[in-house]
Amino acid sequence: MKRKSSHKEKYNSIPMGRGLTIAIDIDGTIADPSDIDFNRVHKDPNELMKAKPIPGALRAIKALHLKGHLIVFHSSRTLSSKKVTERWLKKHGFPFHHVEMRKFLAHVYIDDRAIDGRNWKKVIRDLSKARHPGLVARNGGLV
């Protein structure tokens, strides 16, 4: 018996609510890692606390959070550095819902290799464009 498929069924899709799930990388996107000696991190994860926030990142992320978007920070840092990473985010006032130490399914990725997180004014402009996948998805219900 052939199964009827709904036009809303999509492979690897996530349902849209009022906001997007926005995955934001940490190093090079919201944190300047210049002062971190990554060779020392495995012995002393507190080395990560030396990072400085990238100008404009905090203001932009607070604005996205206030618009109702789900903010999830992700990093390729080790799993053992998750608590230090969360502490750094809180210390610098970044609002977030969750921290993941691996990639996951999201509507939007902001990092130094996707939506360019090095220019936060441009990030906000890009997320507001009518042809942006997240805005298009709101009409169809899924990404």
Side-chain angles (χ1 to χ4, degrees):
M1 181 175 188
K2 210 176 201 182
R3 184 176 163 216
K4 280 182 21 178
S5 67
S6 162
H7 73 283
K8 287 192 174 194
E9 270 185 355
K10 306 268 186 204
Y11 177 74
N12 203 22
S13 64
I14 52 179
M16 289 297 300
R18 291 176 39 140
L20 300 171
T21 297
I22 302 178
I24 304 172
D25 184 32
I26 296 172
D27 295 314
T29 305
I30 66 161
D32 177 353
S34 310
D35 295 334
I36 298 172
D37 180 351
F38 282 97
N39 293 319
R40 295 190 63 220
V41 171
H42 70 283
K43 290 181 183 174
D44 181 14
N46 286 314
E47 179 73 17
L48 296 168
M49 295 300 288
K50 292 180 179 177
K52 304 284 189 275
I54 289 178
L58 180 60
R59 182 182 305 124
I61 292 169
K62 282 183 174 182
L64 294 170
H65 185 260
L66 284 172
K67 288 183 178 182
H69 299 300
L70 183 70
I71 305 298
V72 183
F73 288 105
H74 71 92
S75 179
S76 59
R77 295 174 172 183
T78 63
L79 188 57
S80 62
S81 65
K82 183 175 182 178
K83 289 191 185 312
V84 172
T85 300
E86 290 173 340
R87 193 171 36 145
W88 186 90
L89 291 165
K90 290 174 184 175
K91 174 185 175 185
H92 294 287
F94 284 94
F96 64 95
H97 296 90
H98 188 65
V99 174
E100 267 302 325
M101 304 313 275
R102 60 184 172 83
K103 292 274 188 177
F104 59 94
L105 189 61
H107 295 105
V108 177
Y109 278 89
I110 300 172
D111 65 23
D112 48 349
R113 295 186 179 121
I115 291 178
D116 190 353
R118 294 172 292 177
N119 181 338
W120 281 96
K121 287 182 181 179
K122 186 175 182 318
V123 167
I124 296 299
R125 279 195 313 269
D126 287 351
L127 285 174
S128 300
K129 289 181 181 176
R131 298 184 62 72
H132 186 276
L135 296 177
V136 172
R138 286 191 182 101
N139 295 327
L142 297 172
V143 172

